[in-house]
Amino acid sequence: MGVEIGSKLEGKVTGITKFGAFVELPGNVTGLVHISEIADTYVKDIHDFLKIGDVVTVKVLSIREGKIGLSIKKAQEKERPPRHQRERGEAFEDKLNRFLKESEDRLSSLKKNGDKRGRGRHH
């Protein structure tokens, strides 16, 4: 598999700086994992997460002017199904229908009990 945007590859950490880690990819090319793409949590010191020689799985984010932008955290994310197929507990339509039913119930209750809040009825 070549180095293409979106591909996941294994590479070896060859250098660490204050702003990221250099990773050697197959084909003897090197990319950079920016410090913000190392973990899902705040990374103050990259050495807390990586050391030279570590083998990591990375996702290729960008290729610009020979520079390859990589992400470790995005390589760990599970592929998400299309939005309409995701399970999120209750579907939006179900929430909307429940809201409408509850609203209608409240309205009918107010009408039945004669809403006397600030609607001064003049006799």
Side-chain angles (χ1 to χ4, degrees), residues 3-86:
V3 177
E4 301 170 0
I5 294 176
S7 61
K8 290 183 183 178
L9 305 165
E10 266 198 3
K12 186 187 287 189
V13 177
T14 58
I16 296 176
T17 68
K18 289 180 181 178
F19 56 84
F22 290 98
V23 176
E24 185 178 319
L25 302 171
N28 219 16
V29 294
T30 300
L32 174 71
V33 180
H34 188 266
I35 191 169
S36 65
E37 293 295 333
I38 288 182
D40 281 332
T41 59
Y42 175 73
V43 178
K44 182 176 183 179
D45 184 358
I46 295 169
H47 292 93
D48 293 340
F49 292 84
L50 298 172
K51 64 183 183 306
I52 292 177
D54 282 353
V55 175
V56 294
T57 301
V58 294
K59 183 172 185 177
V60 180
L61 300 182
S62 64
I63 302 173
R64 260 182 271 145
E65 300 170 14
K67 294 182 180 177
I68 302 168
L70 304 171
S71 173
I72 293 173
K73 72 179 184 183
K74 286 190 174 71
Q76 295 170 347
E77 290 177 353
K78 298 211 178 337
E79 294 299 320
R80 294 166 60 172
R83 186 171 218 138
H84 65 280
Q85 291 179 357
R86 286 188 213 149

